[in-house]
Amino acid sequence: MSSAFKSIAPKPLDGFEFPPEYIRLRRLGFSDLEPWYFLDEQQLSQTLAGLRQRYPDRKLIPFARRQDNDDTACWDQQDNNTVYIIHDFASVGYEERDTFDGLYSWLRAAVEDLIEFDS
C-alpha cells in the first residue's frame, strides 16, 4: 500500500487495508461523484469517530459520503470488500440502508446517483 494512502487512515485503523480498487480510484483523482464525495483525512477521522460513538457494536470504516443526506459508504474493519451504506444518525439497528458486493458495484450505483442528481 502506498504510504500516501496509509496517511489517510487514523491510528485506530491499524491493520485495515484499503482495497486496491479504492487506492486506484484515489490515484486516478476520484474525489467527487456528486452527490457522493470521497472523504479526505480530516473528514475520515471525524466521520469514523462519530460512527464509532453512534454505533459502538460496529467497526465501520467510512470512505465516502452523500452531500444531500446522511448516507455514508463504509467497509467493516474485518471486511474490505463489502460496502455498507450507513444512514448516519439513524437509530441503532436501522442505520444500514444497503450493501454492495465490492467497491466497483458501489461505484456503478454512485454514477447512477450522479446522473439522477444532475437531472
Side-chain angles (χ1 to χ4, degrees):
M1 177 186 323
S2 163
S3 62
F5 288 96
K6 278 188 178 178
S7 69
I8 69 167
K11 289 182 183 179
L13 299 183
D14 286 350
F16 178 78
E17 291 191 31
F18 286 92
E21 300 89 348
Y22 173 79
I23 294 170
R24 180 168 187 258
L25 290 175
R26 296 308 303 262
R27 283 189 182 146
L28 290 171
F30 276 71
S31 64
D32 191 6
L33 289 167
E34 192 176 33
W36 288 96
Y37 60 91
F38 285 97
L39 302 175
D40 64 25
E41 182 178 356
Q42 182 178 4
Q43 293 165 331
L44 189 150
S45 292
Q46 290 172 343
T47 303
L48 176 66
L51 289 170
R52 288 196 173 169
Q53 180 182 15
R54 288 182 287 282
Y55 311 109
D57 292 337
R58 299 194 73 168
K59 302 292 185 206
L60 298 167
I61 309 299
F63 68 90
R65 191 167 184 102
R66 277 189 71 124
Q67 68 183 32
D68 60 339
N69 64 35
D70 291 325
D71 286 355
T72 304
C74 306
W75 294 287
D76 181 279
Q77 191 161 357
Q78 304 302 314
D79 175 13
N80 71 358
N81 185 48
T82 304
V83 173
Y84 299 89
I85 304 303
I86 301 299
H87 190 67
D88 202 0
F89 303 100
S91 298
V92 172
Y94 296 94
E95 73 275 10
E96 191 172 307
R97 293 187 88 175
D98 207 348
T99 59
F100 294 91
D101 186 25
L103 183 65
Y104 288 152
S105 293
W106 169 81
L107 182 62
R108 284 183 189 96
V111 169
E112 287 295 326
D113 290 343
L114 175 127
I115 293 166
E116 184 179 310
F117 193 76
D118 201 34
S119 299

